[in-house]
């Protein structure tokens, strides 16, 4: 309710959420904080559904296999995602950032040099929408890394070399974002 009274926007330069500030202005077509609760929740559900589809592709889940689908369900249906939906104003922007981070991870799973700029740019963009969603990229990366290490006949160095564009994406994102942390 404080946002109503003080007209506090979600996107602020103090939190380095400049892209959120821009999206918020475009979304509400106003400089006044607006409650569009059912509409924003519908948009968030659509973004989460698309995120689930991208995750299915990233993890190569066979939805025809009931056990794989059952084991995958907690990835999308979990308390963190439900908590996002409880935010009155932030939910479409957080779910958009989550989708962008998951898309970056999906592109990273291709592990090709030609996609390095795109996956880094997407991950970098998430930091200007909602910084916490970078953890989704990190979790997918760790899962893929551990899976690759355990299920292939490679050692640690070969696995790191095989997933070098994942590491490059994280390195370049951190490198480019570091100067902006001075403004926090």
């Amino acid at each position: 309710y404080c946002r109503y009274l003080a007209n506090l926007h979600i996107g602020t330069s103090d939190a380095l959420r400049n892209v959120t500030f821009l999206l918020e202005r475009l979304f509400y077509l106003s400089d006044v904080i607006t409650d569009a609760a059912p509409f924003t929740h519908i948009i968030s559900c659509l973004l989460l559904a698309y995120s689930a589809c991208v995750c299915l592709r990233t993890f190569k889940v066979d939805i025809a296999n009931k056990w794989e689908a059952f084991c995958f369900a907690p990835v999308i249906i979990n308390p963190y995602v439900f908590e996002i939906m409880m935010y009155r104003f932030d939910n479409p922007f957080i779910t958009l950032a989550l989708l962008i981070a998951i898309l970056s991870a999906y592109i990273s799973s291709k592990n090709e040099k030609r996609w390095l700029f795109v996956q880094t740019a997407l991950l970098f963009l998430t930091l200007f929408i909602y910084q916490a969603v970078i953890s989704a990229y990190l979790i997918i990366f760790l899962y893929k890394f551990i899976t690759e290490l355990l299920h292939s006949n490679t050692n640690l160095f070969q696995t790191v070399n095989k997933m070098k564009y994942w590491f490059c994406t994280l390195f370049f994102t951190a490198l480019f974002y570091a100067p902006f942390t001075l403004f926090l």
Side-chain angles (χ1 to χ4, degrees):
Y1 296 105
C2 177
R3 286 197 175 156
Y4 287 127
L5 298 173
N7 198 35
L8 295 175
H9 294 275
I10 302 157
T12 61
S13 58
D14 296 340
L16 276 180
R17 293 186 182 160
N18 301 332
V19 174
T20 304
F21 180 75
L22 182 69
L23 290 172
E24 188 178 13
R25 300 291 166 116
L26 293 172
F27 188 76
Y28 295 122
L29 299 173
S30 172
D31 192 25
V32 177
I33 190 75
T34 308
D35 184 10
F39 183 62
T40 56
H41 285 87
I42 291 168
I43 289 173
S44 295
C45 287
L46 292 172
L47 291 170
L48 284 173
Y50 190 67
S51 297
C53 293
V54 174
C55 280
L56 286 170
R57 300 275 314 244
T58 304
F59 294 122
K60 297 179 178 125
V61 177
D62 179 19
I63 56 172
N65 183 337
K66 292 177 185 174
W67 286 110
E68 283 188 31
F70 179 73
C71 290
F72 178 75
V75 171
I76 297 300
I77 305 169
N78 63 55
Y80 176 72
V81 172
F82 290 139
E83 182 184 6
I84 290 172
M85 297 305 288
M86 298 300 291
Y87 291 125
R88 192 115 186 123
F89 301 101
D90 301 28
N91 60 29
F93 308 108
I94 296 172
T95 53
L96 176 65
L98 183 64
L99 173 62
I100 293 170
I102 291 170
L103 279 172
S104 179
Y106 173 70
I107 294 170
S108 295
S109 69
K110 295 180 181 301
N111 206 27
E112 295 177 12
K113 186 178 181 178
R114 65 184 173 131
W115 293 107
L116 181 61
F117 176 76
V118 174
Q119 65 201 37
T120 303
L122 288 173
L123 193 60
F124 185 69
L125 179 64
T126 63
L127 294 172
F128 289 97
I129 299 175
Y130 192 74
Q131 293 91 350
V133 299
I134 199 166
S135 61
Y137 182 90
L138 293 171
I139 290 169
I140 294 170
F141 162 69
L142 288 174
Y143 173 80
K144 291 291 212 176
F145 184 76
I146 291 169
T147 303
E148 185 68 33
L149 194 61
L150 293 177
H151 295 293
S152 64
N153 294 327
T154 59
N155 62 22
L156 181 63
F157 181 74
Q158 291 170 327
T159 303
V160 168
N161 190 36
K162 190 173 184 181
M163 296 183 71
K164 63 186 167 199
Y165 297 114
W166 287 83
F167 287 101
C168 289
T169 298
L170 287 171
F171 174 75
F172 288 135
T173 302
L175 181 70
F176 296 141
Y177 190 69
F180 291 100
T181 60
L182 299 173
F183 301 113
L184 287 173

